[in-house]
Amino acid sequence: MDDTRLDRLGSGKYLLVTSFRKNGTPVATPVWVVRDGGALGVWTVAGSWKVKRIRRRPDVLVGPCDVRGNPTGDQKPATAEIADAATTARYRKLIARKYGVLGRLTLFGSRLRRGLDGTVGIRVTLGE
């Protein structure tokens, strides 16, 4: 595994995660990203289409992007898995630390709207 690529993606502000519909159509979504040991962690709404697509088909493409989802580098193959509650809680803490006030406000607003079970972490493991 390329630790340099993992560091670069994990330290970036946004990660473009491309998941695939049933018919194979790619759907790219910019998300906040944190480093999770030998993987990357993202946090999203539990009932989102992104989560449904990843549950059905865990192979994704990931790469750096800007806030609007415009790629700023190459997309590489990866595997995504829906995280358990403990990992999701850890991702929330890492996001709060990395994204500061904006991160904490977003997490707080989400907790008010959806509760803690309304969001989920996604662990992304880079391909070889």
Side-chain angles (χ1 to χ4, degrees):
M1 166 123 17
D2 183 359
D3 259 6
T4 308
R5 189 174 74 186
L6 195 60
D7 284 337
R8 194 172 59 247
L9 291 173
S11 65
K13 195 162 185 180
Y14 299 98
L15 182 72
L16 191 63
V17 176
T18 303
S19 55
F20 299 92
R21 292 187 177 133
K22 282 181 186 176
N23 66 6
T25 305
V27 181
T29 310
V31 292
W32 282 348
V33 61
V34 293
R35 177 80 187 258
D36 178 28
L40 300 170
V42 301
W43 170 81
T44 190
V45 176
S48 68
W49 286 104
K50 170 182 358 54
V51 170
K52 293 173 185 175
R53 288 189 298 270
I54 288 170
R55 278 199 171 104
R56 185 173 50 253
R57 184 176 167 184
D59 59 308
V60 295
L61 298 173
V62 295
C65 70
D66 64 17
V67 66
R68 296 183 183 275
N70 299 313
T72 58
D74 290 339
Q75 287 216 301
K76 301 288 185 184
T79 303
E81 63 179 306
I82 307 306
D84 60 21
T87 303
T88 298
R90 189 171 75 246
Y91 289 174
R92 284 188 194 104
K93 288 179 186 168
L94 291 170
I95 286 169
R97 187 179 313 145
K98 179 176 178 178
Y99 292 93
V101 173
L102 179 60
R104 286 190 288 279
L105 285 172
T106 302
L107 290 164
F108 179 71
S110 173
R111 193 168 60 244
L112 287 177
R113 269 192 315 280
R114 298 180 189 90
L116 286 178
D117 294 336
T119 58
V120 68
I122 300 173
R123 189 168 195 269
V124 178
T125 308
L126 300 181
E128 297 305 316

